[in-house]
């Protein structure tokens, strides 16, 4: 809400006009200041003129020759605008005037005629964006007086962000009330003087829908629709509202002044003098002010006559019933609507307005009579006509101030400050809350909450008001103790996992949680793959973000591609994050399965190495190296790397990782076709592992005493089928060798025609003695026998 | 006469070896000192102590001496031998150092030339900031909790006192997913606060918890908004928690995260789940409050929303609001990082540009 300080001063005599000081006060009252505009006149020596005659220019078609009185008798001015005729009151920059910084107005010859100044548009005067025509001012401005005297400059305009719980602060009077509470001074509410009225109102209003809480109407007859007075239109412009005509401007003015949105109908278009407030019927339509035909539903609330809809309640008027230039009799509507109804209507129809912003928050249902009187008074003052006697007031269930009981001890319990009963009562009284002793105990007070504060319904809301007026700056500080906190084992291990991945050369990435079906298609996943069980976003921002990710790999590949495109030779990234899986007929209210995974990708080369050498080219073994580091650094239990064909991966370079007997994910190289789909060249390492088994708390580990006795090692070389994994030989050797075996490593593997050679290095050691030659021979025999028997391998050189 | 001759012989036999040994002992240091390499030193050693040396000869001649003289002469031989040996060792150490120094000069490299390096990865700044913020609160005795990102409307809104008519629930603000019925039930959490509700349902007070995590809004990408971003929220509930505790805690946080000289101010605000509610501003750590670009010349940086937990939230999770009170706060992680490090656009957190990731230390 934009607040002109000059306008605000109609309602309160502020002890300061310092913009910074007032900004701080507004902020400390809870009304955030989003901007402060210091307005100075952008012109000098512009005066009020009256256009006496308008004639064609003898030598030009696009401009006209005007005779204008600027206080010293008629003078000729050439003007290019066409939005006025003789009789108009206009701002005139006379010779010697300056517009903007330094545009000097002089006598000029325009096609053979001397022009003695310039009639100005709002834009030329720095008063708005309106540049199509000159400003046509109210007729009663005295000719020859300085224009600046009529537009309330200089001024300061505060742009306040009023929070959604404070409808009462959406008006000049409401903000005056807030400042009055702060300064502990008085403020003024307009009290309309209607004077003599003519006749009695003859209008019937039926409320057929309880979403209308009150409907007040007044009538003014014999008005003349014309521009509003200049001071009023300028106040509206400063508030960010366009000036239209006296009737519409008064309606907006009263809304900004009091906070009550109002609506002006052409009284003669209300059929039979009978207004019905009702729900729209299915399929009903209404052409609104903006010329759009609205399709209505029973959710929409209407003000109608007995024949047709006139307006969308609290949201926008209808074109048909609107006040036009020919209107002479005006019907004023001041109503109170159910806030959620207006919110839904304004959203459904895309009609957010100053009026709907107020009704959404909840306008005081006891405000309409004042607003109706104020509007009638101002219409009569600025559009002529006479006010019709009486007021229609249909108010089915009058709202009374709510009385709340507040224990002073609660103020201390929540706020931590000691305020006496008198102090609390004093703070609340500043906001016009009526405070009296009473309630359950001596400690209690009873507070009647004004009906303009729908946000205050509970004792805690009163405590909030006490805190606000006491001032948050005046609270003490204390740091509570007594928590029994710390990171869990899983949280600490997650940090270790990230540390291991970084140590292996992978940088941490954060990719989007959203994915698209195209990403999964590029991964070439079969329909029955678990990653195809996607959850759709109902209202995605973009097609590429229409599903929840089931894998982090496409996002990481996208980041890899981004880096390659920006000149990187090598990329190695990892991420930990959630993936989301759909399921058949989920249980109501249960969130979907959304486990965390640890994923990584790499392209190019990695690992230590000369800059010139660029490290080791990336392949599946870079992934296995990372896996081994994780196993070692995180103390994981027994695992297995199983050669496997994984969808999306190279058929011969993929592995299933099995931990403690269960598969936890895969590591491999992308299938070349998939890599091409992601626009990546060369071998692309990917891996995705369930996070939970990696970070799960393994409990306390126990110490293993290192043997003081020397070890012995021997190598065995086997011929075996190419399809038999070397790991199977090593596992068998380890198992068969018994407890003397300390380690079995595959130290060599190479193809030899139809079979391959696998070299195993077996290290043995006893914990209680030095090994003998017999020990070594015994293990060697057992290992050889078991490996050959179980894998069909042959010992080479045997 | 005979006796005299015997005595003279004995004196001659005795005095002759002793003189020679003295002579060797006197001349040895200069001989050893003259050796300019370990090789020359070896030659000197051979000359002084080798089998043809005076000392070796004398040692061999000991047996021919009068038994009475042997101990004296033997002792002298050993004394001279030890002295020479010590001098040889000293010189050897000197020569070794000299020779090694020569080798080291030849072994010199230009250490400014880039060579083999470990190529470690970096931690993402969002993780760093979330860990850092969490750790500040862990040091105050908080636990760290996490929760689902696809969440029910009940936990994200209803439990947090956000009425069904609240505009934040509209599809223009909140992203919904197709998962079960009814269709408006399952959404992408718009805040980490639902984790607070879940945590309170599962734990009795006192509660000291901080919740880092990813959240979602129906916002299109611009310099400071992204549909995916991160928050850290905190919640403390106990029998005597007041607004003063909230203020003190946020002061502690601001000073730990941004520096000891920071001050904060709380400005009244509105959130459905807290009452009273406030926005926390911290004095600008760049200009110290005098105004600069970072703080838009205000001297203050808006950092987070906070307030006292609304009684309706306690009721929704089964706490008795007449017995416990608490405060909650929540801050944007991207905003913290952007403010502290001067990061210009929120896209830098999600593009994973190595030139950006490499700066995240
Ligand atoms: Zn600053």
């Amino acid at each position: 809400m934009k607040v002109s300080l000059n306008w605000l001063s109609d309602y309160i005599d502020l002890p300061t006009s310092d913009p910074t000081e007032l900004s701080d006060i507004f902020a400390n009252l809870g009304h955030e200041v989003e901007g402060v505009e210091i307005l100075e006149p952008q012109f000098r020596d512009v005066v009020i003129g009256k256009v006496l005659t308008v004639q064609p220019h003898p030598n030009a078609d696009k401009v006209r020759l005007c005779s204008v009185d600027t206080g010293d008798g008629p003078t000729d001015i050439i003007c290019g605008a066409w939005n006025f005729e003789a009789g108009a009151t206009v701002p005139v920059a006379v010779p010697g005037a300056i517009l903007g910084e330094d545009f000097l107005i002089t006598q000029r010859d325009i096609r053979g005629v001397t022009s003695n100044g310039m009639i100005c548009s709002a834009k030329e005067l720095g008063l708005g964006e309106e540049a199509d025509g000159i400003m046509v001012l109210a007729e009663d401005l005295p000719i020859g007086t300085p224009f600046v005297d009529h537009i309330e400059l200089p001024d300061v305009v505060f742009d306040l962000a009023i929070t959604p719980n404070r409808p009462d602060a959406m008006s000049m009077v409401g903000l005056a009330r807030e400042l009055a509470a702060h300064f502990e001074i008085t403020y003024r509410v307009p009290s309309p003087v209607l004077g003599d009225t003519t006749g009695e109102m003859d209008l019937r209003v039926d409320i057929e829908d309880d979403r209308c809480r009150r409907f007040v109407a007044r009538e003014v007859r014999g008005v003349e629709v014309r521009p509003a007075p200049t001071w009023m239109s300028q106040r509206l412009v400063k508030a960010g509202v366009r000036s239209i005509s006296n009737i519409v401007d008064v309606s907006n003015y009263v809304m900004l002044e009091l906070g009550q949105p109002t609506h002006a109908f052409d009284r003669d278009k209300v059929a039979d003098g009978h207004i019905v407030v009702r729900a729209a019927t299915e399929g009903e339509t209404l052409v609104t002010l903006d010329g759009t035909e609205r399709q209505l539903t029973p959710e929409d609330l209407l003000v109608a006559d007995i024949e047709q809809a006139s307006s969308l309640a609290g949201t926008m008027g209808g074109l048909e019933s609107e006040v036009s230039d020919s209107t002479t009799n005006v019907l004023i509507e001041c109503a109170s609507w159910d806030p959620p109804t207006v919110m839904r209507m304004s959203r459904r129809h895309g009609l957010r307005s100053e009026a709907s912003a107020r009704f959404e928050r909840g306008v005081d249902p006891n405000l309409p009579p004042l607003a109706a009187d104020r509007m009638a008074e101002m219409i009569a003052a600025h559009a002529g006509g006479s006010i019709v006697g009486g007021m229609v007031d249909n108010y089915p269930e009058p709202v009374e101030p709510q009385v709340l009981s507040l224990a002073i001890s609660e103020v201390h319990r929540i706020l931590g400050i000691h305020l006496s009963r008198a102090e609390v009562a004093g703070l609340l009284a500043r906001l016009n809350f009526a405070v009296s002793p009473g309630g359950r105990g001596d400690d209690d007070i009873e507070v009647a909450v004004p009906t303009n504060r729908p946000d205050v319904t509970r004792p805690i809301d009163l405590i909030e008001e006490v805190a606000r007026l006491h001032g948050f700056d005046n609270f003490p500080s204390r740091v509570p103790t007594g928590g029994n906190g710390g990171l869990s084992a899983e949280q600490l291990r997650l940090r270790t996992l990230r540390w291991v991945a970084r140590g292996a050369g992978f940088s941490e990435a954060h990719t989007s949680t959203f994915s698209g079906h195209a990403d999964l298609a590029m991964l070439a996943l079969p329909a029955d793959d678990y990653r195809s069980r996607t959850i759709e976003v109902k209202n995605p921002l973009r097609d590429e973000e229409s599903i929840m990710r089931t894998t982090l790999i496409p996002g990481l590949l996208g980041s890899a591609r981004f880096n390659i495109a920006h000149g990187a030779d090598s990329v190695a990234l990892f991420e930990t994050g959630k993936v989301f899986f759909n399921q058949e007929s989920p249980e109501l209210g249960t969130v979907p399965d959304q486990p965390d995974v640890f994923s990584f990708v790499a392209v190019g080369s990695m690992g230590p190495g000369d800059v010139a050498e660029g490290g080791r080219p990336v392949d599946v073994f870079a992934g296995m190296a990372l896996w081994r580091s994780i196993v070692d650094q995180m103390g994981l239990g027994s695992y297995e790397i199983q050669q496997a064909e994984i969808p999306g991966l190279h058929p011969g370079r993929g592995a299933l990782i099995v931990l403690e007997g269960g598969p936890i994910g895969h590591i491999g190289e992308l299938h070349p076709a998939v890599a091409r789909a992601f626009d990546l060249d060369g071998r692309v390492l990917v891996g995705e592992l369930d996070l939970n088994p990696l970070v799960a708390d393994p409990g306390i580990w126990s110490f293993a005493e290192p043997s003081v006795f020397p070890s012995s090692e021997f190598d065995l070389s086997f011929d075996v089928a190419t399809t038999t994994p070397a790991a199977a030989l090593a596992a068998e050797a380890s198992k068969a060798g018994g407890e003397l075996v300390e380690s079995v490593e595959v130290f060599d593997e190479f193809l030899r025609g139809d079979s391959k050679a696998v070299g195993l290095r077996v290290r043995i050691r006893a914990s209680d003695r030095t090994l003998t030659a017999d020990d070594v021979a015994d293990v060697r025999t057992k290992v050889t026998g078991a490996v050959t028997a179980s894998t069909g391998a042959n010992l080479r050189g045997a | 006469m005979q006796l005299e001759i015997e005595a003279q012989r004995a004196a001659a036999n005795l005095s002759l070896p002793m003189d020679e040994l003295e002579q060797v002992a006197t001349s040895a240091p200069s001989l050893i000192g003259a050796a300019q390499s370990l090789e020359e030193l070896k030659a000197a050693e051979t000359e002084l102590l080798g089998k043809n040396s005076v000392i070796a000869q004398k040692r061999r001649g000991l047996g021919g001496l009068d038994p009475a003289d042997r101990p004296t002469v033997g002792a002298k031989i050993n004394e001279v031998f030890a002295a020479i040996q010590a001098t040889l060792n000293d010189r050897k150490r000197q020569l070794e150092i000299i020779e090694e120094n020569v080798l080291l000069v030849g072994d010199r490299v230009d250490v400014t030339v880039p060579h083999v390096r470990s190529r470690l990865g970096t931690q993402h700044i969002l993780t760093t900031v979330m860990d850092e913020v969490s750790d500040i609160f862990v040091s105050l005795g908080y636990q760290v909790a996490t929760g689902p990102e696809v969440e029910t409307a009940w936990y994200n809104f209803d439990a947090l006192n956000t009425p069904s008519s609240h505009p934040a629930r509209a599809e223009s603000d909140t992203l919904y997913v197709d998962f079960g019925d009814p269709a408006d039930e399952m959404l992408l959490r718009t805040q980490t606060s639902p984790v607070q509700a879940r945590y309170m349902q599962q734990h009795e007070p006192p509660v000291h918890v901080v919740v880092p995590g990813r959240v979602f809004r129906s916002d299109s990408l611009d310099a400071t908004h992204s549909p995916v971003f991160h928050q850290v929220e905190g919640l403390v509930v106990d029998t005597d928690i007041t607004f003063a505790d909230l203020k003190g805690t946020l002061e502690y946080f601001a000073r730990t995260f941004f520096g000891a000289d920071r001050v904060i101010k709380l400005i009244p605000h509105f959130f459905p789940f807290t009452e009273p509610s406030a926005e926390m501003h911290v004095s600008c750590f760049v200009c110290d409050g005098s105004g600069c670009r970072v703080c838009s010349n205000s001297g203050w940086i808006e950092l987070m929303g906070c307030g006292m937990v609304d009684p309706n939230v306690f009721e929704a999770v089964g706490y008795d609001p007449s017995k416990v009170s608490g405060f909650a706060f929540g801050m944007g992680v991207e905003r913290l990082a952007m403010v502290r490090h001067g990061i210009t656009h929120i896209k830098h957190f999600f593009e994973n540009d190595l030139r950006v990731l490499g700066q995240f230390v």
Side-chain angles (χ1 to χ4, degrees):
Chain A
M1 165 147 186
K2 290 188 161 185
V3 181
S4 146
L5 186 56
N6 286 333
W7 188 357
L8 186 62
S9 301
D10 279 7
Y11 314 100
I12 187 167
D13 301 320
L14 291 169
T16 176
S17 58
D18 179 63
T20 310
E21 196 181 339
L22 286 171
S23 290
D24 285 347
I25 290 166
F26 276 128
N28 284 319
L29 285 165
H31 309 302
E32 187 188 343
V33 181
E34 293 193 318
V36 179
E37 255 184 297
I38 311 284
L39 299 181
E40 302 277 355
Q42 301 294 307
F43 53 83
R44 246 175 43 204
D45 294 339
V46 174
V47 299
I48 302 297
K50 177 75 106 184
V51 180
L52 304 173
T53 61
V54 181
Q55 293 169 338
H57 188 291
N59 308 318
D61 292 341
K62 292 195 172 158
V63 295
R64 298 186 293 177
L65 170 57
C66 307
S67 174
V68 183
D69 182 359
T70 58
D72 304 323
T75 181
D76 285 347
I77 298 178
I78 310 290
C79 183
W82 294 74
N83 65 323
F84 66 99
E85 292 305 330
T89 304
V90 295
V92 180
V94 295
I98 293 176
L99 300 186
E101 289 280 291
D102 55 2
F103 181 51
L104 178 67
I105 302 297
T106 53
Q107 282 189 338
R108 285 176 63 205
D109 180 277
I110 298 176
R111 296 253 185 144
V113 179
T114 300
S115 181
N116 299 302
M118 182 172 131
I119 307 177
C120 302
S121 71
K123 186 167 185 175
E124 283 157 350
L125 295 170
L127 297 174
E129 288 309 301
E130 200 62 57
D132 280 352
I134 53 99
M135 287 184 88
V136 178
L137 308 173
E139 285 160 24
D140 55 357
L141 297 182
I143 293 166
T145 57
F147 174 63
V148 70
D149 291 353
H150 306 290
I151 55 171
E152 301 184 353
L153 288 184
D155 200 353
V156 179
V157 176
F158 300 94
D159 191 357
L160 303 183
I162 306 296
T163 53
N165 59 329
R166 294 298 302 276
D168 63 294
M170 295 282 281
S171 67
M172 292 293 170
V173 167
L175 290 167
R177 184 165 49 228
E178 289 281 287
L179 292 172
H182 171 82
F183 288 114
E184 300 183 69
I185 58 175
T186 57
Y187 69 104
R188 295 177 288 273
V189 181
S191 51
V193 178
L194 301 185
D196 295 337
T197 56
T198 311
E200 275 298 309
M201 271 190 80
D202 179 20
L203 180 81
R204 177 176 161 192
V205 175
D206 291 340
I207 299 178
E208 294 182 353
D209 192 304
D210 62 8
R211 292 178 292 171
C212 175
R213 304 192 298 191
R214 187 175 196 176
F215 196 101
V216 167
R218 266 203 171 276
E219 203 173 317
V220 183
R221 303 190 73 86
V223 304
E224 189 190 334
V225 177
R226 54 174 189 257
T230 304
W231 62 266
M232 186 189 293
S233 58
Q234 282 306 304
R235 284 184 170 188
L236 293 179
V237 167
K238 288 173 191 171
V241 175
R242 252 184 76 202
S243 172
I244 310 281
S245 70
N246 49 3
I247 306 294
V248 176
D249 285 7
V250 164
S251 175
N252 284 326
Y253 188 89
V254 169
M255 172 180 69
L256 295 169
E257 180 182 61
L258 299 175
Q260 167 72 52
T262 63
H263 190 64
F265 293 97
D266 187 327
R267 171 66 180 83
D268 298 333
K269 290 179 184 162
V270 178
D272 277 5
H274 185 175
I275 282 177
V276 183
V277 179
R278 60 169 172 86
T281 54
E282 192 67 55
E284 192 172 358
T285 59
L286 171 66
V287 179
T288 45
L289 268 181
D290 55 0
T292 308
E293 187 182 74
R294 307 281 171 179
Q295 299 293 323
L296 307 179
T297 75
E299 279 261 279
D300 291 313
L301 194 56
L302 297 176
V303 175
D305 59 22
I306 53 168
E307 288 171 3
Q308 59 179 341
S310 310
S311 74
L312 277 173
T315 310
M316 190 178 248
L319 191 60
E320 173 67 21
S321 61
E322 198 56 25
V323 169
S324 68
D325 287 354
S326 58
T327 297
T328 55
N329 301 319
V330 175
L331 183 67
I332 300 161
E333 168 205 313
C334 294
S336 175
W337 309 105
D338 172 52
T341 300
V342 174
M343 190 185 80
R344 282 193 291 267
M345 280 168 62
S346 69
R347 283 177 183 265
R348 185 163 51 249
H349 296 294
L351 292 168
R352 312 295 302 282
S353 63
E354 292 280 341
S356 70
R358 285 167 177 78
F359 281 127
E360 278 179 27
R361 286 169 159 86
V363 175
D364 181 2
N366 291 319
L367 192 51
L370 171 63
D373 283 352
R374 177 68 166 152
M375 196 161 155
E377 177 194 40
M378 291 188 77
I379 287 176
H382 302 294
S386 55
I387 301 168
V388 178
M391 170 192 285
V392 173
D393 184 1
N394 199 332
Y395 193 12
E397 289 177 41
V399 176
E400 298 285 335
Q402 194 186 358
V403 178
L404 299 175
S405 179
L406 175 66
I408 302 301
S409 60
E410 280 292 284
V411 175
H412 175 248
R413 186 174 75 93
I414 300 298
L415 298 182
I417 47 170
H418 286 281
L419 294 177
S420 70
R421 181 159 138 163
E423 284 170 315
V424 171
L427 288 172
L428 292 172
R430 285 204 231 157
L431 291 164
N432 296 349
F433 287 32
V435 184
S436 57
R440 288 156 299 184
D442 292 346
D443 183 38
D444 290 4
I445 53 173
E446 282 194 337
V447 183
V449 181
T451 52
N452 61 28
R453 292 299 303 273
D455 58 314
V456 179
T457 60
R458 306 165 300 168
I460 189 70
D461 302 319
L462 292 173
I463 293 172
E464 191 265 335
E465 293 299 299
V466 169
R468 191 168 69 93
L469 282 187
H470 180 69
F472 287 2
D473 284 347
N474 299 321
F475 277 83
S477 294
R478 183 175 80 164
V479 181
T481 53
N484 182 18
L487 293 175
S488 68
E490 290 78 7
Q491 287 159 353
L492 289 168
R493 285 173 62 78
L494 173 57
R495 293 189 182 184
T496 306
L497 176 68
R498 290 178 174 143
W499 172 81
V500 173
R502 297 199 303 275
F506 292 81
S507 285
E508 189 184 17
H510 278 273
T511 65
S512 177
T513 302
F514 302 115
S515 189
H517 288 290
D519 291 325
L520 294 181
M522 278 153 68
L523 267 189
L525 300 178
D528 62 351
D529 190 278
Y530 69 101
R531 287 163 290 179
S532 301
R533 285 194 282 123
T534 54
I535 294 175
E536 305 276 332
V537 179
K538 279 178 60 191
N539 50 333
L541 292 155
R542 305 187 304 149
D543 271 358
E544 308 90 277
E545 299 176 346
S546 66
I547 55 175
M548 303 300 290
R549 63 186 180 188
T550 53
T551 164
L552 273 47
I553 298 300
L556 289 170
L557 290 173
S559 290
R561 181 180 46 200
F562 175 94
N563 279 294
I564 300 287
H566 286 77
D569 299 321
S570 300
V571 187
L573 298 171
F574 80 95
E575 182 177 12
T576 58
K578 285 192 181 302
V579 289
F580 305 82
F581 299 108
N582 213 337
Q583 64 197 69
E584 304 274 330
S585 56
E587 197 183 321
L588 198 63
T590 324
V591 297
D593 185 26
Q594 41 196 304
D596 290 281
V597 293
F598 166 73
S599 308
F600 53 91
V601 306
V603 294
S605 66
M606 60 186 309
D610 282 4
V611 172
E613 289 165 7
R616 186 178 184 279
V618 161
D619 60 13
V620 63
F621 295 110
M624 295 309 166
L626 171 61
W627 169 245
R628 280 297 299 267
S629 299
I630 292 169
V631 169
D632 292 346
Q633 296 294 329
M634 303 197 60
L636 297 182
S638 66
Y639 72 92
E640 215 181 315
I641 297 171
Q642 292 177 358
Q643 188 98 25
E645 288 193 24
I646 315 272
L649 298 195
H650 187 306
R653 288 174 168 248
L656 208 57
I657 305 298
V658 179
L659 183 68
E660 306 281 8
I664 63 159
H666 57 265
I667 295 173
E669 291 173 20
L670 272 191
H671 194 290
V674 174
R676 280 195 298 278
F678 279 96
D679 208 11
L680 291 166
D681 293 328
R683 299 190 185 277
V684 180
L685 166 68
V686 299
E688 191 153 80
L689 304 171
D690 294 339
L691 185 69
N692 281 345
L694 303 182
V695 300
D697 184 1
I700 295 169
W701 58 272
S702 337
F703 179 67
E705 187 73 44
S707 172
V708 297
F709 299 97
S711 66
S712 178
E713 76 182 19
F714 56 86
D715 294 346
L716 297 170
S717 188
F718 295 97
D719 271 320
V720 71
T722 52
T723 51
T724 305
L729 276 65
E732 191 60 41
S734 196
K735 196 170 71 184
E739 61 181 14
L740 289 183
V741 173
E742 189 170 271
S743 65
V744 179
E745 294 288 340
V746 178
F747 72 91
D748 194 20
E749 185 185 29
F750 58 94
L751 290 179
R752 293 161 47 84
D754 292 346
S755 64
K756 65 181 176 186
V758 174
L760 299 184
R761 178 158 298 154
V762 182
R763 176 184 287 266
I764 63 177
R765 193 196 304 259
S767 60
D768 54 352
R769 62 195 158 83
T770 301
L771 294 169
T772 64
D774 285 350
D775 289 329
V776 178
D778 181 46
V779 172
R780 189 186 182 99
T781 308
K782 281 192 212 160
V783 166
T784 308
V787 169
T788 51
S790 68
T791 65
N794 294 311
L795 187 65
R796 297 181 65 206
Chain B
M1 184 66 203
Q2 183 61 38
L3 270 175
E4 195 180 11
I5 290 170
E6 284 292 315
Q8 281 177 353
R9 264 187 62 198
N13 273 342
L14 191 63
S15 69
L16 196 61
M18 295 298 260
D19 286 351
E20 277 183 79
L21 284 167
E22 275 306 333
Q23 210 175 338
V24 169
T26 308
S27 63
S30 61
L31 187 68
I32 292 167
Q36 292 303 312
S37 67
L38 289 170
E39 209 171 312
E40 287 177 25
L41 187 66
K42 194 77 199 165
E45 184 180 358
T46 306
E47 186 179 337
L48 289 166
L49 303 177
K51 58 180 190 259
N52 296 323
S53 64
V54 173
I55 286 177
Q57 287 169 24
K58 295 301 170 204
R59 200 167 256 154
R60 283 196 296 274
L62 264 182
L65 290 185
D66 187 322
D69 294 336
R70 276 184 211 157
T72 318
V73 176
K76 184 69 183 174
I77 290 172
N78 286 342
E79 181 195 320
V80 173
F81 183 91
I84 291 173
Q85 190 71 60
T87 310
L88 279 168
N89 283 343
D90 286 349
R91 183 60 184 161
K92 188 176 181 212
R93 274 193 291 278
Q94 284 175 0
L95 288 173
E96 277 170 353
I97 289 167
I98 289 166
E99 294 203 351
E100 180 157 50
N101 284 344
V102 171
L103 283 176
L104 291 180
V105 168
D107 204 31
R108 178 197 161 98
V109 295
D110 178 354
V111 295
T112 66
V113 171
H115 214 66
V116 177
R117 60 175 179 148
S118 291
R119 293 196 292 183
L120 304 186
T122 52
Q123 174 157 283
H124 198 284
I125 191 69
L126 293 177
T127 304
T128 303
V129 171
M130 280 190 282
D131 283 356
E132 195 176 335
V133 173
S134 297
D135 288 349
I136 289 171
F137 289 103
V138 164
S139 77
L140 288 176
Y142 291 50
Q143 294 188 342
V144 178
T146 54
E149 290 173 8
V150 173
E151 183 57 282
T152 66
W154 192 87
Y155 279 108
N156 195 74
F157 290 127
D158 299 65
L160 301 170
N161 196 33
T162 310
S164 54
S165 61
H166 197 280
R169 292 185 180 231
E171 291 202 352
S172 55
D173 288 38
T174 299
L175 293 162
Y176 288 85
V177 299
D178 267 330
F179 186 78
D181 282 324
D184 59 352
E185 176 62 19
M186 209 59 73
L187 48 77
L188 298 181
R189 66 177 182 192
T190 59
Q191 48 203 2
T192 44
S193 320
V195 181
Q196 301 180 2
R198 287 178 177 274
Y199 189 91
M200 283 191 279
Q201 280 187 333
Q202 289 155 13
H203 299 80
E204 286 301 314
V207 167
H208 299 76
V209 69
V210 64
V211 182
R214 191 171 267 208
V215 297
F216 309 85
R217 301 271 169 91
S218 188
D219 276 338
S220 19
L221 187 75
D222 65 24
T224 55
H225 294 87
S226 160
V228 179
F229 61 105
H230 296 77
Q231 284 185 341
V232 180
E233 300 221 355
L235 171 73
V236 171
V237 183
D238 207 338
T239 50
D240 63 342
I241 297 299
T242 70
F243 197 81
D245 293 305
L246 169 62
K247 195 171 174 183
T249 299
L250 296 186
E251 267 169 10
Y252 175 84
F253 168 75
R255 287 170 186 166
T256 314
F257 192 82
F258 281 111
D261 296 336
R262 301 280 61 79
V263 292
I264 67 163
K265 66 175 179 181
L266 297 176
I267 303 287
H269 203 69
F270 170 73
F271 303 110
F273 31 87
T274 47
E275 183 83 334
S277 303
E279 264 181 356
M280 187 270 246
H281 299 241
V282 62
S283 60
C284 181
F285 66 99
V286 175
C287 65
D288 219 9
S290 59
C292 69
R293 269 178 49 138
V294 171
C295 58
S296 311
N297 283 319
S298 70
W300 295 93
I301 297 168
E302 184 193 323
L303 219 54
M304 65 176 100
C306 58
M308 301 303 292
V309 178
D310 194 287
N312 290 348
V313 174
F314 284 144
E315 270 165 19
V317 300
Y319 282 11
D320 181 351
S322 72
K323 296 207 164 66
V324 295
S325 54
F327 65 75
F329 56 84
M331 61 195 108
V333 178
E334 282 80 0
R335 178 164 168 75
L336 282 180
M338 289 174 92
V339 166
R340 192 170 68 170
H341 300 287
I343 296 167
T344 50
H345 198 293
I346 205 165
K347 70 179 181 183
H348 292 306
F349 296 111
F350 299 104
E351 278 180 351
N352 301 307
D353 187 330
L354 290 172
R355 296 166 300 173
V356 173
L357 296 184
Q359 300 178 44
F360 291 165
V361 293

